[in-house]
Amino acid sequence: MEIILHVGMGKTGTSSIQIALGRNAARLIEQGVDYLGLWFDGVDERFAGFSGQGAFFRSPPDEMRQHARSLVSTLRQRQEGNGCSRFILSNESMYSKAAALEPFVDELRQHATVRVIAYVRNPREWLPSAYTQWALYHKAGPGPVKPYPTVAAKLVRAYAAIETWAKLPFDVLTLREFHKRGNVVEDFTGLLGIGLDQPAARMLERTDIGETVLRGLYNNRLPESVLPLRFDQAFSGISFASVPTLAGFLETALCYNATEELVESQRHTFDFIRERFGIDLLAAEAAPPRIPPPEDIRNRLIDHMLHLVLNQADRIRSLETSVRRLQAARRPADTGAKTADARSA
């Protein structure tokens, strides 16, 4: 039996690997590989999900060894059912838990071959990506959004977890370099000698700087830590990915460079008008209007947006006042109705 623990690190294509494994579950089983998912419910149901993994990691060493024996028992049952002898568990939270997991992994080694696979990424790429994920998209701490240097000074220490894994009293770690332009799913499956249908694109790739800034500004207003779902719910139904860029819209709608070519395509008609009616529409040199600089248009759009926001603020305040008056007017009637109902009862 072989147990493969894919431990991250975060922001190295972990989600792409997990999604590819999940979508190819049946194909994996045909190759003798059983994907266990992210959680530790194979040890015990109480360790299922995000909340359950915290309890798992807090287990003392003796319990960790028992957890390993429980997992092996579960895997043997699965092996009897599907014939698989290789098992993959992928959870990036394990990356920073090498010390806590030492007795767990050591006990697993008594019953199976164990491999721990981790990916590392150039810190000059990883730090900005990790900051965006855990300070802006998911504001992991209370208070305002912390500056990049403050958060990144803590994030960069994450690389030290590799030392902890490497210094365990047994050699189970395989370390791979993540390349943003590479295919991490292909690398992972090649490392294990398995075949999968490759995803068309990376998962959770952050490309829209505008949405990133919006999320950061939204989360910055809230005193508590904020999961990405809160922003998603607040702006439900709005797809920021489909928002057209100003430059793209100007190029599509307000670029008149094709005017001369279009005029030439109907030259015969303009010649007819000149010859028949004596009106030479093309006699005078004329050029189509030029697009104003995008920055000028953007500034003017901000003027309009401020005007709209200020007017809408007055309208919202007026509506709130009207609603309060209606609510106040209903209260005596509601109280009277309840009193009458009480008397009749």
Side-chain angles (χ1 to χ4, degrees):
M1 179 187 296
E2 182 181 23
I3 301 172
I4 299 137
L5 302 177
H6 171 227
V7 302
M9 57 189 308
K11 307 306 296 175
T12 60
T14 306
S15 295
S16 293
I17 291 173
Q18 291 166 348
I19 291 171
L21 292 172
R23 289 177 177 173
N24 286 268
R27 186 174 175 189
L28 284 170
I29 289 176
E30 292 174 356
Q31 300 172 73
V33 181
D34 191 353
Y35 174 50
L36 304 175
L38 285 74
W39 314 118
F40 302 94
D41 48 334
V43 174
D44 192 295
E45 286 295 331
R46 62 195 170 100
F47 297 140
F50 183 78
S51 58
Q53 74 174 8
F56 173 77
F57 290 135
R58 289 191 296 270
S59 301
D62 288 346
E63 289 187 17
M64 276 294 190
R65 291 189 177 277
Q66 180 55 48
H67 294 338
R69 291 190 287 270
S70 297
L71 179 60
V72 169
S73 177
T74 298
L75 299 186
R76 283 174 177 160
Q77 293 176 21
R78 293 175 73 108
Q79 186 174 13
E80 291 177 4
N82 59 26
C84 294
S85 61
R86 306 178 75 192
F87 300 89
I88 302 174
L89 193 152
S90 174
N91 184 316
E92 65 188 61
S93 294
M94 290 189 287
Y95 173 79
S96 63
K97 305 295 184 182
L101 288 172
E102 178 181 343
F104 178 76
V105 175
D106 187 41
E107 184 64 32
L108 288 179
R109 291 175 61 250
Q110 310 309 313
H111 309 275
T113 300
V114 178
R115 297 180 67 179
V116 174
I117 299 175
Y119 283 83
V120 288
R121 183 176 178 180
N122 185 320
R124 294 183 178 89
E125 288 182 358
W126 185 81
L127 286 170
S129 178
Y131 174 79
T132 298
Q133 177 65 39
W134 294 305
L136 300 180
Y137 272 75
H138 174 190
K139 183 163 73 78
V145 171
K146 304 296 189 299
Y148 171 75
T150 302
V151 178
K154 297 179 180 179
L155 290 172
V156 74
R157 299 172 196 162
Y159 287 88
I162 295 300
E163 293 187 53
T164 307
W165 278 107
K167 291 178 179 179
L168 292 179
F170 38 80
D171 185 12
V172 294
L173 177 65
T174 298
L175 190 64
R176 306 286 288 180
E177 184 175 0
F178 172 87
H179 297 281
K180 187 175 181 180
R181 298 185 183 277
N183 187 324
V184 69
V185 175
E186 192 173 84
D187 184 84
F188 181 80
T189 55
L191 184 64
L192 298 180
I194 56 179
L196 296 184
D197 295 326
Q198 301 293 327
R202 295 185 180 95
M203 305 300 162
L204 302 180
E205 187 73 10
R206 312 301 189 192
T207 56
D208 191 324
I209 186 63
E211 181 181 347
T212 297
V213 172
L214 278 176
R215 285 179 178 269
L217 290 172
Y218 179 85
N219 294 339
N220 194 51
R221 301 160 49 250
L222 304 172
E224 68 275 16
S225 61
V226 187
L227 290 169
L229 180 62
R230 182 154 180 184
F231 180 91
D232 296 339
Q233 291 173 335
F235 295 91
S236 176
I238 299 176
S239 172
F240 290 96
S242 63
V243 174
T245 64
L246 176 59
F249 179 79
L250 294 179
E251 186 67 27
T252 300
L254 295 179
C255 180
Y256 307 111
N257 292 341
T259 301
E260 195 60 34
E261 181 180 347
L262 295 171
V263 169
E264 285 299 322
S265 71
Q266 298 299 313
R267 168 70 71 168
H268 61 282
T269 299
F270 297 119
D271 289 343
F272 173 80
I273 293 172
R274 185 189 70 248
E275 294 169 2
R276 179 70 179 270
F277 299 100
I279 300 175
D280 190 353
L281 293 174
L282 305 182
E285 290 291 332
R290 293 183 177 180
I291 304 175
E295 191 60 32
D296 291 350
I297 298 176
R298 187 175 288 107
N299 289 337
R300 188 55 177 155
L301 285 172
I302 292 175
D303 293 339
H304 289 306
M305 289 173 63
L306 287 171
H307 179 70
L308 289 170
V309 168
L310 293 173
N311 277 275
Q312 287 177 344
D314 289 336
R315 296 176 66 182
I316 291 171
R317 178 56 59 87
S318 177
L319 286 171
E320 290 175 339
T321 301
S322 298
V323 169
R324 284 196 294 269
R325 287 173 180 168
L326 289 171
Q327 290 173 335
R330 288 186 59 188
R331 287 193 191 103
D334 292 344
T335 303
K338 291 177 182 177
T339 303
D341 291 341
R343 289 174 180 170
S344 62

